[in-house]
Amino acid sequence: MAMKERLEALKNEALAQLQEVDSPETLNDLRVKYLGKKGALTEILRGMGSLSAEERPVIGQVGNEVRAAIESVIEVKQNAFQKAETEKRLQAEKVDVTLPGRPMSQGGVHPLNKVIQDIEEVFIGMGYNISEGPEVETDYYNFEALNLPKDHPARDMQDTFYITEELLMRTQTSPVQMRTMQSMDGESPVKIICPGKVYRRDDDDATHSFQFNQIEGLVIGENIRMSDLKGTLQQFVQEMFGANTQIRLRPSFFPFTEPSAEVDVTCVKCGGSGCRMCKQTGWLEILGCGMVHPKVLEAGGYDSEKFTGFAFGMGVERIAILKYGIDDIRHFYNSDMAFLKQFSRI
């Protein structure tokens, strides 16, 4: 059979089979069979080398016409399959606009975030700025610069997660205070609070967690006194727990402050008359504080003969527990929706 007749026969065969196609997969198989690199059309056209110079353009034109005819039918079929698939998907995804609307569930602020916001608002109202720093800290900023050398026994109370011998997950937000002090020129006053997550190797129970939130405060300037610290904390607790709340300071020890004190507030449940919550004492411990140790001032670049300051630190979870009467710190972290919904409108 002459090459021209073979091409015409191939076209008729291909068009006949394409008319019977019922799926995109079969269509693709036929495209490869007739028009692929090893397809029937290519096989025929490879024989053009044996033709005379006069015959080649004629057969080449016929070959192009055959290819165009087959591609045209394939394109029509592809468009038909795509349209059918689109219609099918639209029907499957069809929305019945006559159905009644579904109410959208409304979230709320997590109680810990709400307490952090409340504390920040109180101190911003007193002229404090907010400072933040890295949660992965160096041993120097977390301990040594805060008057806690490597052999200091107080480190045992703040056992943490070490990454290397000199890198660790911070046990307090005090490193932010030191970084802020060192960023000053040794003459500028400081008035900041430092909120953030901290980490210690505690076993999780009703009152302890290996991760918790802390807010520390720092004030440095000339003639800063212990009375300024007490007045600041008195205003803070009255803003957080009510105008009738009182505080008392008990002597304590912290390596980075001297003198140091633990701060108690009148029991939020009994108002100080004595109850089971406060163990009949009328007081609840809330935070630690003190005057900044001279060695810490010097490490921060300040002249301890000219400047004084005070610092305090509190656990956000502790404040939230007292404020909302929560009996287990783990409630804050276990994503119990029944628990969290109680605070959706606070």
Side-chain angles (χ1 to χ4, degrees):
M1 183 184 297
M3 189 173 292
K4 183 176 181 180
E5 285 75 16
R6 289 176 62 194
L7 289 172
E8 289 294 337
L10 175 68
K11 182 179 75 170
N12 294 333
E13 177 187 331
L15 295 180
Q17 290 193 21
L18 286 171
Q19 293 302 321
E20 304 297 327
V21 169
D22 58 0
S23 70
E25 293 77 17
T26 304
L27 181 65
N28 186 63
D29 290 342
L30 290 176
R31 180 187 63 78
V32 174
K33 176 181 177 180
Y34 290 107
L35 303 181
K37 290 182 179 180
K38 297 181 180 180
L41 180 60
T42 303
E43 287 295 325
I44 295 175
L45 295 178
R46 281 176 181 168
M48 289 179 63
S50 61
L51 300 175
S52 65
E54 294 78 12
E55 291 177 311
R56 287 176 189 170
V58 176
I59 296 302
Q61 181 177 354
V62 173
N64 289 336
E65 291 173 354
V66 170
R67 180 182 295 275
I70 296 174
E71 287 179 341
S72 177
V73 174
I74 290 175
E75 183 179 358
V76 171
K77 288 287 186 178
Q78 283 180 332
N79 292 337
F81 286 134
Q82 290 175 356
K83 184 177 180 180
E85 178 63 25
T86 301
E87 290 291 335
K88 181 180 179 182
R89 188 167 61 252
L90 289 175
Q91 289 297 322
E93 298 175 358
K94 187 176 180 180
V95 177
D96 186 351
V97 296
T98 64
L99 289 173
R102 297 183 178 91
M104 296 292 290
S105 58
Q106 184 175 1
V109 179
H110 192 280
L112 290 181
N113 289 334
K114 181 62 169 64
V115 170
I116 291 172
Q117 292 172 3
D118 290 344
I119 295 173
E120 289 178 344
E121 288 178 6
V122 171
F123 284 103
I124 288 173
M126 289 192 276
Y128 285 69
N129 294 315
I130 297 175
S131 293
E132 296 181 334
E135 294 178 19
V136 177
E137 261 297 358
T138 63
D139 185 88
Y140 170 78
Y141 280 110
N142 196 80
F143 290 125
E144 294 181 48
L146 302 173
N147 198 31
L148 277 161
K150 291 186 182 298
D151 59 349
H152 200 292
R155 285 199 182 201
D156 293 340
M157 296 184 295
Q158 297 190 30
D159 192 14
T160 187
F161 302 95
Y162 279 84
I163 300 170
T164 68
E165 289 186 1
E166 296 300 325
L167 281 179
L168 52 89
M169 303 301 292
R170 67 182 180 187
T171 63
Q172 54 205 352
T173 58
S174 303
V176 182
Q177 299 178 352
M178 180 55 64
R179 288 179 178 272
T180 302
M181 292 166 64
Q182 291 183 352
S183 69
M184 302 298 185
D185 56 9
E187 294 291 333
S188 302
V190 176
K191 196 173 185 182
I192 59 171
I193 58 170
C194 311
K197 294 185 178 69
V198 297
Y199 306 84
R200 298 182 187 178
R201 290 186 60 188
D202 278 330
D203 294 327
D204 286 5
D205 58 28
T207 58
H208 297 85
S209 174
F210 69 92
Q211 172 194 296
F212 57 98
N213 293 273
Q214 192 179 56
I215 293 181
E216 295 197 12
L218 174 70
V219 174
I220 295 176
E222 297 185 39
N223 301 315
I224 301 297
R225 301 179 296 271
M226 193 80 174
S227 58
D228 298 319
L229 170 61
K230 183 177 180 181
T232 298
L233 296 179
Q234 180 67 63
Q235 181 173 342
F236 163 68
V237 300
Q238 289 179 340
E239 292 277 357
M240 288 298 294
F241 300 110
N244 295 324
T245 308
Q246 298 298 313
I247 67 171
R248 73 174 183 184
L249 276 64
R250 292 180 288 106
S252 187
F253 167 78
F254 302 110
F256 27 80
T257 53
E258 181 60 38
S260 303
E262 300 280 0
V263 179
D264 301 331
V265 296
T266 47
C267 180
V268 295
K269 186 173 184 180
C270 67
S273 61
C275 67
R276 185 176 180 181
M277 184 175 182
C278 62
K279 299 179 181 179
Q280 306 302 324
T281 65
W283 298 95
L284 295 169
E285 183 180 323
I286 190 174
L287 58 86
C289 66
M291 301 300 292
V292 179
H293 197 288
K295 289 186 177 180
V296 177
L297 287 171
E298 297 288 348
Y302 286 85
D303 182 354
S304 60
E305 296 294 328
K306 180 180 178 182
F307 289 92
T308 54
F310 64 74
F312 55 86
M314 67 189 80
V316 175
E317 284 81 354
R318 176 67 172 166
I319 303 295
I321 284 172
L322 296 179
K323 188 174 178 67
Y324 300 123
I326 298 167
D327 60 359
D328 194 322
I329 193 174
R330 291 169 292 192
H331 290 319
F332 293 123
Y333 305 114
N334 61 13
S335 302
D336 183 347
M337 294 303 296
F339 170 78
L340 294 175
K341 282 180 180 179
Q342 300 177 79
F343 304 93
S344 59
R345 290 183 173 83
I346 60 173

